[in-house]
Amino acid sequence: MGWTKFRIIPARAFKKILYGIFIWTCLCYAVFRITNHKGAVTYLTARVNRGLLQNVQSMQALAAAGAVGGNANEFPTTSPPANQDNPSGSRTPGIPQNFLDLEPQVDNSPALNEKQLLTLLANHSNLPLAYWSANKNRPIGSKSCVKFPSLYELDFNNIYWQRLQTSNGTYYLYAAYYDNRWRAGSVPIVRILGMVDRIKPIPTICQLWFDKKKTVAFSQATYTYAWYSKWGNYKDGILQPFVISCKVPPKESGGQVPTSVSLVESRCDKPTTNLRILNERPKKKEDFAVCVKGLDFLHEDLSVRLVEWLELLNILGAKKVFLYELEIHPNISKVLNHYQKEGLVQLTPLTLPGNQPNLPGFRHLYLKSKLTHKRQNELIPYNDCLYRNLYSYEYVVLLDIDEIIMPVKYDSWSGLMKEVVQQALKEKNYTRASYNVRNVYFLDDLQDGDDLHHEAHEQGIPRYLHMFQHVYRSKNFTKPGSYVKCFHNTERVVSLHNHFPLNCLGTCTTFSINTSLAQLQHYRKDCVGSLKNSCKTDFRLYTLKDTTIWRYKDEAIKRTTRTLSKLGFFS
């Protein structure tokens, strides 16, 4: 067994080794620092990326040259295609050259404060103006047994409704309006539109709030049923439409118009509702407004037909069209937003109250399967349109977007109604609550004679103008009083149904306009459900060509084409 002999390193050599280790350590540290510096990374990455990009571009150029030369197989063709969206000089496909210096564009607008937010909400809600930040601490009703309710104590339902729960029934309130029409009596009335899950609501009290008053006025509520029992759904548990009326006490009000109203079960109950009272008084009262129920066209694009319809209404004399939105196709939204900016349209979002579904798509299926519920819900937007315009228009006309009241003898609704009112007064010397127009079908496939297929293109009229293209109608009108639409006199009606007034100040009198003066032109694929069995014999068998609408074709073509072009429908 022997010992291994180690060679002793001289001191000078040992020092050289130590110096080498030290220099190597410093070099490694320097490399580490450099490789972790952002500028170095950028430089190195850029060099590598530039080499890769030049390699890719060279391969693409060779492939292109080969394709031009007719022998593309001589060159590699597996490189990715150039990104056409790349900025000039980009070093990597899809990445701008100066990506480190770019700043994404985001909305850096300052957040709205409470006053700004409430001001914005005031234009889209039924809340009183007293809830604005500047007024919220005002001692309204401080000398009464009940205090002005806090904003966050109100019971909201489905965005646009307020709820009152009583000992016998639940009330869903939509909006309130001031009504001092002289036919209503010497005492002004606050009208509330709502739906109640009872046929006969229990007695309730209106708490009327006034600006700058420390006392609240009380009034017994009365209920006007806005439905007929024979139409169905006449039972408790199903939401029923009502017009709720609250007389404004002259002594307590001092002639002042209340600003908001709460509905409670007992006089001094703490309110969970508080509706702003609408009282719009323009300087001039116009002739005609059109009211349209909640639009339910989530997947059906009727935008082009809507442009044609709105332009024709305006040509006939409608100053404004009030529509309500449940769910609509994006193109319909684009059209209606355009006309809102133009001042022809007012579009109001709408939901169903209570436990009814409001999920888009599901709500559509619900309304389709529960037709009577649908009809009852429609009475809210119809009557909201009426009361918002009591003092703005002489007549409101309730139409669907496939209907048009067409004057036969005159060019406009104004000329038509001047003669109609004169005829009505000659027959009986009093103004009517409404003037009704009889319905006639312009079905999609009608044509004169035995051929029931409307495939011909009417010369000089664009194919996209549905009403102007479909000029074949049934010879027969629907029966008098059936499926009519009316010019409703805003001085006389209290509640409206789709086809006629339900309740009026006095008797709900109507005058039937002779078909020689006007007709309700109804553009459909087929007759309505209740007439489908007799549609062929009553309305399809005998037809005629009716070009009354062509009286307006030049102006309508100019307007619709201009609007569709402006909105990009032809691009």
Side-chain angles (χ1 to χ4, degrees):
M1 179 176 178
W3 296 92
T4 303
K5 294 182 179 180
F6 291 93
R7 184 179 177 181
I8 298 175
I9 303 173
R12 188 172 181 179
F14 184 75
K15 289 181 180 180
K16 289 182 177 180
I17 293 173
L18 289 177
Y19 288 149
I21 293 173
F22 176 76
I23 293 172
W24 176 255
T25 302
C26 292
L27 181 61
C28 289
Y29 179 76
V31 170
F32 173 78
R33 293 291 296 173
I34 291 173
T35 55
N36 280 277
H37 191 274
K38 186 170 72 173
V41 173
T42 303
Y43 174 76
L44 292 172
T45 303
R47 295 289 295 180
V48 172
N49 286 342
R50 179 179 293 177
L52 290 173
L53 182 58
Q54 288 173 344
N55 184 45
V56 168
Q57 290 174 336
S58 298
M59 294 173 68
Q60 290 173 342
L62 289 171
V68 172
N71 192 7
N73 292 330
E74 295 180 5
F75 303 94
T77 58
T78 57
S79 60
N83 191 334
Q84 296 299 321
D85 295 329
N86 283 354
S88 177
S90 173
R91 290 176 176 149
T92 311
I95 301 178
Q97 180 177 349
N98 60 334
F99 69 95
L100 288 174
D101 299 322
L102 295 179
E103 190 69 34
Q105 294 182 357
V106 296
D107 186 356
N108 293 314
S109 303
L112 298 179
N113 60 35
E114 184 181 9
K115 180 179 179 180
Q116 292 170 327
L117 186 58
L118 288 175
T119 302
L120 181 64
L121 290 174
N123 298 322
H124 302 281
S125 75
N126 52 21
L127 293 172
L129 301 184
Y131 287 123
W132 288 20
S133 181
N135 303 323
K136 66 178 183 179
N137 295 320
R138 186 183 301 153
I140 301 175
S142 59
K143 292 187 176 180
S144 303
C145 65
V146 62
K147 300 296 185 290
F148 191 75
S150 165
L151 174 62
Y152 304 111
E153 293 173 343
L154 302 181
D155 189 344
F156 295 99
N157 176 258
N158 296 344
I159 305 177
Y160 305 111
W161 302 78
Q162 297 183 30
R163 181 175 63 172
L164 166 66
Q165 294 180 296
T166 71
S167 59
N168 186 23
T170 303
Y171 299 61
Y172 297 94
L173 309 182
Y174 182 71
Y177 322 85
Y178 187 71
D179 182 359
N180 68 341
R181 292 174 291 178
W182 68 269
R183 284 188 173 87
S186 58
V187 178
I189 299 172
V190 171
R191 310 278 191 186
I192 301 173
L193 277 181
M195 299 191 79
V196 187
D197 62 356
R198 292 293 183 271
I199 295 298
K200 295 182 179 179
I202 63 172
T204 51
I205 300 292
C206 303
Q207 297 171 340
L208 299 168
W209 307 95
F210 297 84
D211 193 19
K212 299 180 182 179
K213 271 184 174 286
K214 295 186 177 181
T215 58
V216 60
F218 300 98
S219 176
Q220 185 71 45
T222 59
Y223 289 80
T224 301
Y225 189 38
W227 190 249
Y228 284 164
S229 59
K230 63 182 180 181
W231 291 340
N233 276 1
Y234 188 70
K235 58 182 179 181
D236 289 342
I238 296 176
L239 291 178
Q240 310 289 334
F242 284 93
V243 178
I244 306 167
S245 300
C246 317
K247 289 188 176 181
V248 181
K251 184 177 180 181
E252 289 86 340
S253 68
Q256 189 175 345
V257 177
T259 55
S260 66
V261 58
S262 300
L263 194 67
V264 292
E265 187 170 354
S266 299
R267 181 183 179 94
C268 292
D269 283 354
K270 184 178 181 180
T272 62
T273 64
N274 196 7
L275 299 167
R276 184 199 315 183
I277 297 172
L278 300 175
N279 184 30
E280 298 180 11
R281 307 274 179 153
K283 293 181 179 179
K284 180 184 177 183
K285 197 169 187 179
E286 301 285 357
D287 291 339
F288 307 101
V290 173
C291 304
V292 185
K293 62 191 177 188
L295 297 177
D296 184 21
F297 302 108
L298 181 60
H299 301 295
E300 193 174 0
D301 185 2
L302 299 176
S303 53
V304 176
R305 288 187 61 172
L306 197 58
V307 171
E308 177 190 21
W309 183 73
L310 288 169
E311 293 291 359
L312 183 55
L313 284 177
N314 189 229
I315 291 170
L316 290 171
K319 296 299 189 296
K320 198 155 192 173
V321 183
F322 296 84
L323 304 102
Y324 294 79
E325 177 186 349
L326 287 171
E327 42 194 280
I328 55 178
H329 189 279
N331 280 347
I332 296 178
S333 292
K334 179 167 67 173
V335 166
L336 295 180
N337 289 336
H338 164 75
Y339 283 111
Q340 279 202 106
K341 293 176 183 177
E342 295 286 317
L344 179 59
V345 158
Q346 180 173 309
L347 181 63
T348 302
L350 183 68
T351 60
L352 304 181
N355 296 323
Q356 298 178 102
N358 282 291
L359 183 67
F362 181 35
R363 177 173 53 195
H364 170 79
L365 296 175
Y366 170 81
L367 294 174
K368 187 176 180 180
S369 63
K370 290 185 172 288
L371 191 58
T372 307
H373 290 71
K374 180 177 186 288
R375 299 293 181 229
Q376 289 178 308
N377 280 286
E378 286 172 355
L379 294 176
I380 297 299
Y382 282 145
N383 287 282
D384 177 68
C385 183
L386 164 67
Y387 279 103
R388 286 178 183 271
N389 295 300
L390 282 183
Y391 313 108
S392 302
Y393 298 93
E394 299 285 350
Y395 300 99
V396 293
V397 185
L398 277 55
L399 292 176
D400 295 332
I401 63 173
D402 60 358
E403 300 172 330
I404 203 85
I405 292 180
M406 181 61 60
V408 176
K409 182 178 177 181
Y410 294 91
D411 292 339
S412 66
W413 285 355
S414 179
L416 166 68
M417 288 307 296
K418 285 179 181 177
E419 178 163 341
V420 167
V421 171
Q422 290 176 358
Q423 285 187 4
L425 290 173
K426 286 181 181 179
E427 184 179 285
K428 289 185 179 179
N429 192 25
Y430 57 84
T431 58
R432 309 304 200 273
S434 67
Y435 303 85
N436 70 80
V437 185
R438 290 180 64 184
N439 175 76
V440 65
Y441 284 120
F442 284 71
L443 302 178
D444 289 356
D445 57 2
L446 285 188
Q447 201 167 22
D448 204 6
D450 296 330
D451 186 1
L452 298 182
H453 298 283
H454 183 84
E455 297 175 349
H457 172 56
E458 300 296 346
Q459 294 297 321
I461 297 175
R463 293 178 183 273
Y464 51 82
L465 295 185
H466 181 88
M467 291 186 293
F468 286 85
Q469 279 289 334
H470 290 78
V471 291
Y472 291 91
R473 69 167 176 86
S474 169
K475 284 185 178 179
N476 296 328
F477 288 75
T478 51
K479 294 178 181 179
S482 297
Y483 307 102
V484 299
K485 290 299 174 74
C486 300
F487 292 95
H488 297 284
N489 183 352
T490 55
E491 288 291 330
R492 297 291 302 270
V493 291
V494 173
S495 69
L496 298 177
H497 176 262
N498 187 18
H499 296 291
F500 44 80
L502 288 173
N503 301 281
C504 303
L505 300 175
T507 306
C508 277
T509 54
T510 188
F511 180 82
S512 183
I513 299 176
N514 194 283
T515 56
S516 64
L517 293 177
Q519 58 194 25
L520 176 67
Q521 300 190 176
H522 202 167
Y523 297 85
R524 291 176 56 93
K525 290 182 179 180
D526 202 358
C527 299
V528 295
S530 55
L531 295 177
K532 280 189 177 180
N533 291 336
S534 61
C535 190
K536 184 173 182 179
T537 56
D538 291 347
F539 304 108
R540 289 184 175 276
L541 190 58
Y542 302 103
T543 64
L544 58 84
K545 188 173 184 178
D546 185 340
T547 59
T548 306
I549 194 172
W550 285 358
R551 179 192 301 149
Y552 313 99
K553 68 178 182 178
D554 292 338
E555 182 65 19
I557 290 171
K558 181 176 69 175
R559 290 190 185 195
T560 54
T561 304
R562 180 178 59 209
T563 300
L564 292 171
S565 179
K566 183 177 181 180
L567 296 179
F569 280 93
F570 296 130
S571 61

